[in-house]
Amino acid sequence: MGEQQQVKFPQGVIDEYAALGVDLPALFSAGHLGTRMGVQILEASAERVVGTMPVEGNTQPYGLLHGGASAVLAETLGSVGSMLHGGSSKIAVGVDLNCTHHRGIRSGLVTGVATPVHRGRSTATYEIVITDEADKRVCTARLTCLLRDLRPGDGEQAAG
């Protein structure tokens, strides 16, 4: 669960960040919370971000996948897409997250796919669809991020 897979980034994005001396997999990881929850980002571009999360360890007292766990997966994937859309001079900050939980699930792995609804200069909105291993929809989420200019020290926070 703690083993990170290599995220697939478009070559242009890799080149842009490498020129700045930025380690993309570290910058666009699931972060400390996502790591504790077993979130794995498998594919990442401004057009599509895909990630998985185990149900085990992320359940509520009734044994079902916790709605907050779905929210963590959704916000992680939508934030990565927003950051990639904003580019290396911007930072994405979530300002609105909406989750609709469609069905309960007790085991297995869920997969989230984030696709853009709106990509502007100052905001980005992504729809995130989370499905179970039978490809049944578990949750639909929408995340809007503010894209603000990168400030000195922001990169140190993200990398640390």
Side-chain angles (χ1 to χ4, degrees):
M1 191 154 88
E3 191 176 306
Q4 283 289 79
Q5 297 178 5
Q6 185 66 22
V7 181
K8 297 176 189 173
F9 291 101
Q11 189 59 48
V13 173
I14 293 170
D15 295 343
E16 177 184 357
Y17 283 87
L20 299 170
V22 175
D23 177 6
L24 268 179
L27 182 62
F28 294 112
S29 73
H32 295 290
L33 176 60
T35 299
R36 279 196 306 272
M37 297 180 72
V39 173
Q40 298 284 323
I41 299 173
L42 307 177
E43 175 187 331
S45 72
E47 292 77 29
R48 177 180 155 97
V49 182
V50 180
T52 61
M53 181 180 66
V55 173
E56 183 179 344
N58 295 314
T59 57
Q60 38 88 310
Y62 299 113
L64 298 170
L65 177 64
H66 196 291
S70 294
V72 167
L73 178 60
E75 185 149 357
T76 299
L77 300 178
S79 292
V80 168
S82 295
M83 287 285 289
L84 289 169
H85 165 66
S88 60
S89 65
K90 300 280 187 179
I91 187 168
V93 180
V95 294
D96 182 61
L97 176 64
N98 173 292
C99 298
T100 301
H101 307 287
H102 303 292
R103 69 176 52 244
I105 180 173
R106 293 182 181 278
S107 63
L109 194 69
V110 291
T111 300
V113 178
T115 54
V117 174
H118 166 77
R119 291 186 293 170
R121 286 179 288 153
S122 61
T123 62
T125 301
Y126 280 75
E127 177 185 58
I128 304 93
V129 175
I130 300 173
T131 56
D132 65 13
E133 291 174 311
D135 206 30
K136 292 184 179 176
R137 193 176 292 222
V138 173
C139 175
T140 303
R142 187 191 68 244
L143 174 71
T144 298
C145 288
L146 172 69
L147 301 173
R148 70 166 177 80
D149 291 333
L150 190 64
R151 298 178 186 157
D154 281 343
E156 295 167 12
Q157 291 280 5

